[in-house]
Amino acid sequence: MQTSDYQRLDRAHHLHPFTDFKALGEEGSRIIERGKGVYIIDSEGNRILDGMAGLWCVNLGYGREELVEAATAQMRQLPYYNNFFKTTHPPAVKLAETLCRLAPPHINRVFFTGSGSEANDTVLRMVRRYWALKGQPEKQWVIGRENAYHGSTVAGLSLGGMAPMHEQGGPLVPKIAHVRQPYWFGEGRFGEGRSEGQDPEAFGRECAAALEAKILELGEENVAAFIAEPVQGAGGAIIPPASYWPAVKEVLAKYDILLVADEVICGFGRLGEWFGSVHYGLEPDLMPIAKGLSSGYLPIGGVLVGDRVADTLIEEGGEFFHGFTYSGHPTCAAVAQRNLELMEAEGVVERVRDDLGPYLAQRWQALAKHPLVGEARSLGLIGALELIDPANGERFDESLAVGNLCRDLCFASGLVMRSVGDTMIISPPLVITHAEIDGLVGKARAALDATLARLADTTTDQQEETLA
């Protein structure tokens, strides 16, 4: 089949996630056929550096035969069985032990799901169940952050704070509130009435104070948990000021509120530690996980449950009426187990912390000098570029969709870099090399140059039309 054949069938039968169906049908899909290392290859033979590791998940890169072999061996022995009705199987047991060994010391239980969205659905059920068992059933409110992403199921989108999703989501799950995000560049530097911007550390404390204010507004006796990613991923690779998490920890401890650290993106080495919570010195009560758990080779997720919550569920809870057909799926669990074994054996997390993360930070920061870039930030192997109008240093008008333009030009230069509004973000495989980081930065620079040239052409055309 040719590319056009795949596009025709795709247009006729396939509804893509997070997609304008009509617009994609008119343009035609990119057809990705193969992957190797940090590269994907499309149906036209173009080799593209995957700066997003799929969707933040292909941590060990493409083409790892060890993971294929793990899946094959498990499918031959026991392709599927459930974990309901007092049964289990070796892959689920082994993976549970491995995860709890890698997790912070106060976490010794895991509940398996099929995805990060399912993990956050589980979190909501567990949080409310926990407080009911503690004799405080009125503690049902969960506080999330504006512009946060915690999945696209009804519970996931309710916990998240993305306005476009809420507008399409119909009635949301009740008793979920949101507070401001610790996004200094967007809300501290360019905040309302701030011509010169606010000190980042003061801004971080201000965001934590907003959380406390919301708790008091709702009534501390009614608030069950606060959910947040250590670093906001899909919201725009938002790295909080250093003051933010220590201040948040103080607020949660003051009012006895559970902390849910969503590790779906930050977990499994992305920030240079096994979990983002370790980087920030957090001790979360629940940690949703997915994505890098299997390097994206098979779908699997879960919730790592702290002793405080797990002991209550076990000792006082009776039956927990929740679960999924594919919770702890044996083939998915076997692949995840092998993935974690390889990451440990190859020292992947330590290399991100000690070598690749610092090297990316150095090379990425050089892009801050580009006329289109207002800020270049990174932590571990996650990074962002904030696009600004070089004429005035301000944000572009949203109608120009400059981020989308840059994203498309990235593909043309052989790089997958995602746009969140006018924020360009990367999250490459954790096995990327120095040379490949150099290539990524070079391709990003080429896309920025092409974007700047395209904007200049557009401005010239508009001026000529005005004169005519």
Side-chain angles (χ1 to χ4, degrees):
M1 292 175 63
Q2 301 299 311
T3 299
S4 59
D5 298 320
Y6 285 113
Q7 290 175 329
R8 174 177 53 81
L9 292 174
D10 188 67
R11 184 182 301 112
H13 304 295
H14 185 189
L15 296 177
H16 293 233
F18 283 87
T19 294
D20 180 329
F21 304 135
K22 182 178 180 182
L24 180 62
E26 293 170 350
E27 184 177 349
S29 303
R30 299 181 186 91
I31 310 300
I32 306 302
E33 288 190 331
R34 291 172 288 139
K36 186 67 176 178
V38 301
Y39 292 92
I40 53 175
I41 299 94
D42 69 16
S43 54
E44 300 296 311
N46 296 306
R47 191 165 172 258
I48 306 163
L49 198 160
D50 186 4
M52 284 304 301
L55 275 178
W56 318 84
C57 56
V58 188
N59 287 0
L60 283 185
Y62 299 93
R64 293 299 298 251
E65 286 299 319
E66 302 97 325
L67 301 184
V68 177
E69 291 166 1
T72 302
Q74 185 58 46
M75 290 187 80
R76 287 198 175 109
Q77 180 168 330
L78 181 69
Y80 170 76
Y81 199 70
N82 66 77
N83 284 275
F84 288 49
F85 316 126
K86 301 181 180 180
T87 65
T88 190
H89 41 70
V93 173
K94 292 177 183 177
L95 180 60
E97 187 278 331
T98 298
L99 284 167
C100 293
R101 175 173 57 79
L102 296 174
H106 71 287
I107 292 178
N108 292 286
R109 299 287 194 284
V110 60
F111 186 103
F112 287 116
T113 69
S115 68
S117 291
E118 289 182 1
N120 279 315
D121 281 38
T122 301
V123 158
L124 188 59
R125 294 287 308 279
M126 278 191 175
V127 162
R128 291 177 173 173
R129 178 64 174 158
Y130 168 79
W131 286 115
L133 291 171
K134 299 300 287 185
Q136 296 176 269
E138 68 281 359
K139 287 177 78 73
Q140 292 197 5
W141 280 91
V142 177
I143 300 174
R145 298 191 296 204
E146 296 168 356
N147 193 41
Y149 182 82
H150 297 295
S152 59
T153 56
V154 174
L157 78 90
S158 299
L159 290 167
M162 292 190 163
M165 294 179 68
H166 285 190
E167 290 168 5
Q168 291 185 353
L172 304 179
V173 175
K175 297 190 176 180
I176 295 175
H178 299 89
V179 295
R180 66 183 311 179
Q181 58 184 336
Y183 181 21
W184 176 81
F185 188 85
E187 300 180 13
R189 176 180 173 182
F190 288 111
E192 184 176 350
R194 293 174 179 159
S195 58
E196 297 183 0
Q198 184 179 15
D199 172 72
E201 302 315 316
F203 176 74
R205 290 188 291 271
E206 184 179 285
C207 292
L211 170 61
E212 182 169 23
K214 180 61 69 173
I215 292 168
L216 295 175
E217 174 192 329
L218 298 172
E220 62 178 287
E221 71 280 3
N222 299 317
V223 179
F226 174 59
I227 182 170
E229 295 172 279
V231 169
Q232 267 171 264
I238 296 169
I239 302 168
S243 61
Y244 176 75
W245 274 117
V248 167
K249 285 174 62 179
E250 288 183 12
V251 170
L252 298 179
K254 180 178 180 180
Y255 298 106
D256 192 23
I257 291 168
L258 298 176
L259 171 60
V260 180
D262 186 335
E263 295 275 2
V264 171
I265 285 174
C266 295
F268 306 105
R270 180 59 53 190
L271 304 187
E273 300 287 353
W274 277 102
F275 297 98
S277 298
V278 175
H279 175 83
Y280 285 107
L282 308 178
E283 294 185 0
D285 296 285
L286 299 130
M287 289 169 35
I289 55 174
K291 293 190 183 293
L293 173 55
S294 70
S295 280
Y297 277 58
L298 284 176
I300 186 170
V303 181
L304 287 164
V305 185
D307 293 340
R308 172 186 181 184
V309 175
D311 290 349
T312 298
L313 294 175
I314 293 167
E315 299 299 328
E316 305 175 30
E319 183 171 354
F320 183 46
F321 297 109
H322 178 74
F324 306 97
T325 300
Y326 298 129
S327 290
H329 188 290
T331 305
C332 300
V335 170
Q337 174 69 23
R338 187 65 179 128
N339 175 67
L340 298 179
E341 290 172 354
L342 291 169
M343 291 184 70
E344 284 195 278
E346 296 173 11
V348 170
V349 176
E350 293 79 8
R351 191 161 68 249
V352 172
R353 182 190 63 213
D354 300 333
D355 177 22
L356 296 174
Y359 186 75
L360 174 67
Q362 173 195 345
R363 298 289 289 114
W364 195 245
Q365 194 58 42
L367 295 174
K369 299 177 181 179
H370 194 280
L372 271 182
V373 176
E375 182 183 64
R377 59 179 180 268
S378 70
L379 178 60
L381 287 185
I382 187 172
L385 302 173
E386 298 283 2
L387 303 186
I388 58 168
D389 187 338
N392 55 25
E394 299 294 325
R395 293 287 203 180
F396 288 100
D397 188 289
E398 291 182 7
S399 65
L400 295 175
V402 174
N404 288 349
L405 170 63
C406 185
R407 176 199 62 199
D408 293 343
L409 292 171
C410 279
F411 266 99
S413 68
L415 172 67
V416 177
M417 185 159 62
R418 183 173 174 180
S419 61
V420 178
D422 286 347
T423 306
M424 309 304 299
I425 57 179
I426 59 161
S427 174
L430 305 187
V431 294
I432 194 169
T433 65
H434 282 210
E436 289 164 342
I437 289 174
D438 292 342
L440 187 158
V441 172
K443 293 174 187 295
R445 187 184 302 278
L448 291 169
D449 290 342
T451 302
L452 188 60
R454 186 73 62 86
L455 290 170
D457 290 343
T458 300
T459 301
T460 301
D461 290 344
Q462 289 174 343
Q463 291 172 341
E464 290 176 350
E465 288 177 9
T466 301
L467 292 173

